[in-house]
Structure formats: structure tokens, C-alpha cells
């Protein structure tokens, strides 16, 4: 019995040492992977990397990582010279193959997600416009609500109103619903569905030019192309995919 206890103690100690070595190795690997991803994908800052699965060392021995989760920073959305931060940017790498020299890796599949709040959407919107939740029915159609004092919108865009019409427009607020769509894998387009008729000839078209604008998403890995956008109570949520994503040094 004494010998058995000694064997069990030794096994526990060795097991603890293995776990400690495994966790140290995964921490070092996460730091190295973060730098590889930053340099290979042209990111402005190193992401947060979490390598899943245990034990890590056996995954390294087989040169195959089941899952690597990445949290990205420095992703922005910009429109008309305004730039805002994109929140909750995450990428999930699946079936990551490590090359023989351990100098690079390739992920079979990558899925990415991000969110922009309505507050930040308003910051990037044309001057005077406020972007908000359009309600469940319209959100289900991919729409957001856009409002703003008409005179503020026009002044922000440098559009003058002939004197005789100024009093007609004073105090008037524009409310419309814009449909959001993706274009080119990195651009969000907002297009007003309909605008109230205005008592100034040609002004409707000018207001539409103000409210129809594009948001460019900057800082995503070049291999991830956004392919889905959803309007929620908290803002716009995006997702995208990539395949055979190289993480070369």
C-alpha cells in the first residue's frame, strides 16, 4: 500500500508539472500567434489570442489546432471623415494547420463578428442625423431609423435654402427608415427607403444625397469578408467568413 501511495503521489506531481508546462507553452504560443496574425493580416495592433483544447502540447505534436479565438482591436468604421470604433470584434479560427518548420499556419475556416452601436453610428452619420433602432418589424427587414432637424442636415452638408422657403422649413424634423446592406465585404450602405415631400423644388433629392451614405469598415483581416448584417436593439451586428487563411510570418 505504501508503494502504491508513492506511485500515486509521483503521478500527481508529474501530472501537475505537465499541466504547468502545457499552460506555459500555450501562453507563449498565444503571444506568438498574436504577432503572426497582426503582421500577416496588416492589423494596427496585436489581437488577443486564446488557443482552446487540452492538452496543447499534443495538438502541437500533431501540428493541428482545433480552435483559436481572436479578439481584434483597432477596427473602425468611417464615413465622410468621421471615424468610430467597432466593438466586440472577434474571429474564430478552426482546424489550424501548422507547417513543418512551425513558422506559419493556415486556418481551414475563419468566422468573424462585430457590432456598431447606434450611438457610434450617429457619430459617423451626416451632421445633424441621429441613427436609432427602427422597431422589431423594420429591424427584421434590415432597417434603421434616421431622424434629424432639416435645417441642421442641410447646413451640415453645406446646402443653402432660398430665403422665401426658410420659414417653411424652420423647425421641421426629417424621419425616415434606411435599409442597411453590405457591399464589397467591408462597406455598409445606408439608403433611405422614403422621404417626406418637401415644399421646396429639388430639395428632396438633396436631402436624400445627405442621408444616403456609406460606412467603410477598416482594420478587419483582409481574408475576412463581411457577408451578413443584422439590425438589433443594440446596433448593427456583422458577421463574415474566410477560408484557407494564412498566418505566415
Amino acid at each position: 500500500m505504501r508503494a502504491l501511495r508513492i506511485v500515486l503521489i509521483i503521478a500527481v506531481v508529474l501530472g501537475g508539472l505537465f499541466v504547468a508546462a502545457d499552460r506555459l507553452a500555450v501562453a507563449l504560443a498565444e503571444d506568438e500567434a498574436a504577432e503572426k496574425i497582426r503582421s500577416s493580416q496588416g492589423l494596427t495592433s496585436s489581437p488577443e489570442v486564446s488557443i482552446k483544447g487540452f492538452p496543447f502540447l499534443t495538438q502541437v505534436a500533431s501540428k493541428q489546432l482545433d480552435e483559436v479565438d481572436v479578439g481584434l482591436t483597432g477596427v473602425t468604421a468611417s464615413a465622410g471623415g468621421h471615424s468610430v470604433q467597432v466593438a466586440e470584434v472577434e474571429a474564430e479560427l478552426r482546424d489550424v494547420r501548422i507547417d513543418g518548420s512551425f513558422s506559419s499556419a493556415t486556418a481551414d475556416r475563419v468566422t468573424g463578428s462585430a457590432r456598431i452601436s447606434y450611438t457610434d453610428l450617429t457619430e459617423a452619420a451626416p451632421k445633424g442625423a441621429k441613427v436609432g433602432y427602427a422597431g422589431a418589424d423594420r429591424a427584421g427587414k434590415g432597417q434603421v431609423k434616421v431622424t434629424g432637424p432639416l435645417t441642421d442636415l442641410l447646413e451640415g452638408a453645406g446646402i443653402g435654402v432660398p430665403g422665401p422657403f426658410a420659414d417653411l422649413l424652420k423647425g421641421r424634423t426629417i424621419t425616415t427608415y434606411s435599409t442597411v446592406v453590405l457591399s464589397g465585404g467591408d462597406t455598409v450602405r445606408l439608403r433611405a427607403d422614403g422621404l417626406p415631400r418637401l415644399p421646396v423644388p429639388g430639395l428632396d433629392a438633396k436631402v436624400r444625397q445627405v442621408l444616403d451614405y456609406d460606412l467603410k469598415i477598416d482594420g478587419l483581416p483582409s481574408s475576412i469578408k463581411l457577408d451578413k448584417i443584422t439590425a438589433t436593439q443594440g446596433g448593427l451586428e456583422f458577421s463574415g467568413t474566410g477560408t484557407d487563411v494564412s498566418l505566415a510570418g
Side-chain angles (χ1 to χ4, degrees):
M1 290 296 293
R2 184 166 181 265
L4 179 58
R5 284 197 297 271
I6 293 173
V7 170
L8 290 175
I9 291 171
I10 293 174
V12 170
V13 171
L14 291 177
L17 291 174
F18 175 78
V19 171
D22 190 83
R23 294 302 88 191
L24 176 61
V26 77
L28 294 173
E30 287 170 348
D31 290 342
E32 180 67 18
E35 179 56 27
K36 292 284 187 184
I37 293 171
R38 186 200 64 77
S39 61
S40 67
Q41 301 300 314
L43 304 180
T44 57
S45 58
S46 294
E48 295 183 3
V49 175
S50 176
I51 299 175
K52 305 297 183 180
F54 179 83
F56 166 70
L57 293 174
T58 58
Q59 295 185 72
V60 173
S62 65
K63 296 184 175 64
Q64 181 87 22
L65 303 178
D66 296 333
E67 177 184 348
V68 180
D69 292 345
V70 180
L72 302 172
T73 58
V75 179
T76 60
S78 57
H82 302 287
S83 182
V84 296
Q85 291 293 315
V86 181
E88 299 175 14
V89 185
E90 299 177 349
E92 298 177 351
L93 287 66
R94 296 292 185 272
D95 299 325
V96 180
R97 305 185 305 276
I98 305 170
D99 77 346
S101 63
F102 292 92
S103 62
S104 64
T106 301
D108 281 354
R109 303 182 311 282
V110 177
T111 59
S113 62
R115 181 179 63 83
I116 302 181
S117 70
Y118 289 118
T119 298
D120 286 332
L121 283 169
T122 296
E123 287 292 322
K127 186 177 180 180
K130 180 179 179 180
V131 184
Y133 183 55
D137 289 342
R138 289 188 179 274
K141 300 175 184 177
Q143 293 182 330
V144 297
K145 185 178 181 180
V146 181
T147 60
L150 179 57
T151 52
D152 289 355
L153 292 170
L154 296 175
E155 288 175 6
I159 299 173
V161 179
F165 297 103
D167 288 341
L168 290 175
L169 303 180
K170 188 175 181 180
R172 182 178 290 231
T173 297
I174 291 291
T175 298
T176 187
Y177 296 94
S178 293
T179 299
V180 291
V181 296
L182 288 168
S183 175
D186 63 357
T187 300
V188 181
R189 289 183 170 175
L190 285 81
R191 297 294 182 265
D193 252 21
L195 291 170
R197 297 190 65 84
L198 299 173
V200 180
L203 193 59
D204 305 64
K206 292 182 179 180
V207 173
R208 177 173 290 280
Q209 290 175 3
V210 174
L211 295 181
D212 288 353
Y213 68 100
D214 295 348
L215 272 172
K216 177 72 181 297
I217 309 299
D218 303 305
L220 284 175
S222 58
S223 53
I224 296 180
K225 300 300 181 184
L226 299 176
D227 53 24
K228 184 179 179 181
I229 184 169
T230 305
T232 71
Q233 280 188 294
L236 296 181
E237 294 183 355
F238 312 90
S239 61
T241 58
T243 57
D244 293 325
V245 177
S246 175
L247 306 176

